[in-house]
Amino acid sequence: MTVKTSWMRKLVAIAAVTAAFVAGQRASATSMAITEWMYSPGTGTNPGPGEFYELTNLSGAPIDMTGWSQDDNNRTAGKHSLSAFGVVQPRESVIGTEGSDASAFKTYWNLPASVKVIAYGSSDGLGRPDEINIYDSTNALVDRLTYDDQTIGGLRTQGTSGNIAVTNLTGNHANFAVASNVGDTYLSYRGGLGVANSDVGNPGVYALVPEPTSLVLATISAVIALAFAARCRA
């Protein structure tokens, strides 16, 4: 009985340490990531109002994006201000578009008012081969996505956005991106109020980000399973 009690106490201690470690790692890791992009509206009869990229807060804490910025392959911090995003909550996604009208972008994609969209109206748009570079308020690079379907491989995101899988976030793996398809696990849909030949994407939401609590519970469960298996072999 004493042995079992001691074993259980050790197991609880391991689980607690693991939970704290995972939570700490989650909070300290790079927490804002490029999760979706479309370099150009489609060539159909109802293309979207602008190319775009999506950023998602992967952390368990709010992020103040005052002083943050974005640039393409010129890699110049401060080029396009992201300050208007303000404080981005955990799991919240925000949108940057080279279009000139944020309201038109929201209407096309049927986005609620709560989704934050910055429209640059810039002529240095996202090209077929290009980069998306995100810098924080200290001008440090937070995330980079280099893409070119002709040389790097992967998707040509014209009229169909590309999604970065959870396992590839912040890894600059555009060549592994997943194309949006209506009704997929990324919650993709056809823009333009569903009109035929409209663009397909899912801006404003990244459906596959696990809750920080779920990560901790999953890790604890794994520790318990391993400890139990070891106990049975003893």
Side-chain angles (χ1 to χ4, degrees), residues 163 180-189 201-203 205-208:
N163 302 280
S180 291
N181 286 288
V182 175
D184 61 16
T185 55
Y186 291 93
L187 305 181
S188 300
Y189 58 97
N202 52 84
V205 60
Y206 187 63
L208 303 183

Side-chain angles (χ1 to χ4, degrees), residues 127-220:
R128 182 175 181 179
D130 212 335
E131 276 186 346
I132 301 168
N133 289 286
I134 306 299
Y135 302 93
D136 66 15
S137 59
T138 69
N139 293 335
L141 182 68
V142 173
D143 197 11
R144 168 176 292 155
L145 185 68
T146 308
Y147 59 90
D148 183 351
D149 63 284
Q150 295 173 299
T151 59
I152 297 174
L155 308 173
R156 182 179 184 184
T157 59
Q158 184 175 42
T160 301
S161 71
N163 302 280
I164 308 300
V166 171
T167 53
N168 293 322
L169 291 173
T170 70
N172 199 7
H173 290 306
N175 53 320
F176 295 145
V178 180
S180 291
N181 286 288
V182 175
D184 61 16
T185 55
Y186 291 93
L187 305 181
S188 300
Y189 58 97
R190 192 172 298 282
L193 302 180
V195 174
N197 296 316
S198 298
D199 296 349
V200 177
N202 52 84
V205 60
Y206 187 63
L208 303 183
V209 178
E211 295 279 5
T213 302
S214 298
L215 288 178
V216 173
L217 291 176
T219 305
I220 292 175

Side-chain angles (χ1 to χ4, degrees), residues 56-63 88-93 211-212:
T56 302
N57 180 356
L58 307 178
S59 77
I63 296 175
V88 180
Q89 298 300 321
R91 301 192 74 195
E92 180 182 0
S93 295
E211 295 279 5

Side-chain angles (χ1 to χ4, degrees), residues 26-113:
R26 185 72 174 176
S28 63
T30 299
S31 50
M32 187 66 70
I34 301 163
T35 47
E36 182 186 4
W37 90 104
M38 181 188 293
Y39 91 87
S40 174
T43 57
T45 57
N46 191 35
E51 55 206 15
F52 70 89
Y53 60 88
E54 175 188 81
L55 305 176
T56 302
N57 180 356
L58 307 178
S59 77
I63 296 175
D64 186 352
M65 295 191 69
T66 302
W68 287 48
S69 61
Q70 176 268 342
D71 194 22
D72 59 9
N73 59 359
N74 292 309
R75 300 185 178 182
T76 303
K79 182 61 180 295
H80 296 301
S81 174
L82 301 181
S83 293
F85 286 142
V87 176
V88 180
Q89 298 300 321
R91 301 192 74 195
E92 180 182 0
S93 295
V94 294
I95 304 294
T97 174
E98 295 287 349
S100 59
D101 190 335
S103 295
F105 186 91
K106 287 188 175 185
T107 298
Y108 183 87
W109 290 104
N110 196 29
L111 299 179

